[in-house]
Amino acid sequence: MYKAFEYRLYPNRDQHRLLLSCLAESRRLYNEMLESVKAHYEETGMFLTRYDLSYRFKGRGGSPGSEHVPQSTVQTLADRLEKALKRFFHRRERGQKVAFPRFKSPKRWHSIQLRQYGRGRDAYLDPDTGRLRVPKKLGGRLKVKQHRLLEGMPKTAHLVYRADGHWYMLIVCDLGDAPEKRSSRAGP
């Protein structure tokens, strides 16, 4: 069972600028990946997998024009596109009316996913300083308001830019096996 914990971030001006740059560049990379998938399908009749996309776009995190996108975020973009394609095919098989995944505009792109959570990884909520450690391309150490403790084993983190103009952090935690449901009847 998974649970997401949400905390408000308080980046300074430079960190806010870096986060917005990463958000815009990651959207551009996602759209480039989608364009590659469409072009490859038109040429071969087959879709690219997330592994193919990760290989084709390897090194794009940090490349000119993408200097604010960590490499692990490029991998999560490939995962995100593959999931969108799987949902498309699943719904089409069920006979539902569904459109092919579309290119994302700035109004439809609000989050940066960081793949690995933990000390020395992409994201880590440092209990000593009360700051979120992220790659330097995203600002290094971000001030966070942690109003409750995490439960379970943290897996991934998402940095989300909401319509209110503030940044939030969502940490997805694995709580282990779901508790068994108890019978509503009493007695044997």
Side-chain angles (χ1 to χ4, degrees), residues 108-127:
R108 299 184 62 83
W109 194 262
H110 307 284
S111 67
I112 302 166
Q113 184 177 353
L114 301 171
R115 176 170 283 217
Q116 301 168 339
Y117 181 91
R119 189 179 293 273
R121 304 290 180 140
D122 291 342
Y124 178 66
L125 191 57
D126 192 342

Side-chain angles (χ1 to χ4, degrees), residues 120-170:
R121 304 290 180 140
D122 291 342
Y124 178 66
L125 191 57
D126 192 342
D128 299 332
T129 63
R131 303 229 175 216
L132 175 68
R133 290 184 176 181
V134 293
K136 290 192 187 291
K137 294 176 182 182
L138 299 177
R141 294 181 181 179
L142 303 171
K143 185 177 176 184
V144 62
K145 170 132 175 135
Q146 186 179 4
H147 58 279
R148 63 181 175 158
L149 296 176
L150 293 173
E151 299 171 20
M153 176 64 87
K155 294 295 184 183
T156 62
H158 301 260
L159 304 178
V160 181
Y161 189 61
R162 296 268 167 79
D164 63 3
H166 299 292
W167 284 95
Y168 294 87
M169 169 186 61
L170 295 169

Side-chain angles (χ1 to χ4, degrees), residues 23 27 30 80 102-111:
L23 188 65
R27 180 183 61 84
Y30 177 89
R80 194 170 176 170
R102 58 180 154 179
F103 294 102
K104 303 297 182 186
S105 69
K107 291 181 180 181
R108 299 184 62 83
W109 194 262
H110 307 284
S111 67

Side-chain angles (χ1 to χ4, degrees), residues 17-134:
R17 182 185 50 77
L18 290 172
L19 289 168
L20 286 177
S21 295
C22 180
L23 188 65
E25 291 172 17
S26 64
R27 180 183 61 84
R28 185 181 50 77
L29 281 172
Y30 177 89
N31 287 338
E32 283 183 35
M33 287 180 178
L34 181 56
E35 181 64 37
S36 293
V37 165
K38 286 183 169 186
H40 188 264
Y41 180 76
E42 289 174 4
E43 291 174 12
T44 66
M46 297 177 64
F47 287 102
L48 295 170
T49 66
R50 68 178 175 198
Y51 304 110
D52 297 330
L53 288 169
S54 292
Y55 181 75
R56 282 185 177 207
F57 287 83
K58 184 177 182 178
R60 290 295 296 271
S63 67
S66 301
E67 61 267 2
H68 298 294
V69 181
Q71 182 58 41
S72 62
T73 300
V74 175
Q75 294 168 358
T76 61
L77 293 173
D79 293 344
R80 194 170 176 170
L81 181 55
E82 185 178 65
K83 287 178 185 176
L85 288 168
K86 283 183 179 180
R87 282 191 303 271
F88 165 73
F89 290 122
H90 179 70
R91 286 181 163 176
R92 194 170 74 176
E93 286 175 6
R94 293 176 64 192
Q96 296 176 342
K97 184 178 179 181
V98 62
F100 193 77
R102 58 180 154 179
F103 294 102
K104 303 297 182 186
S105 69
K107 291 181 180 181
R108 299 184 62 83
W109 194 262
H110 307 284
S111 67
I112 302 166
Q113 184 177 353
L114 301 171
R115 176 170 283 217
Q116 301 168 339
Y117 181 91
R119 189 179 293 273
R121 304 290 180 140
D122 291 342
Y124 178 66
L125 191 57
D126 192 342
D128 299 332
T129 63
R131 303 229 175 216
L132 175 68
R133 290 184 176 181
V134 293

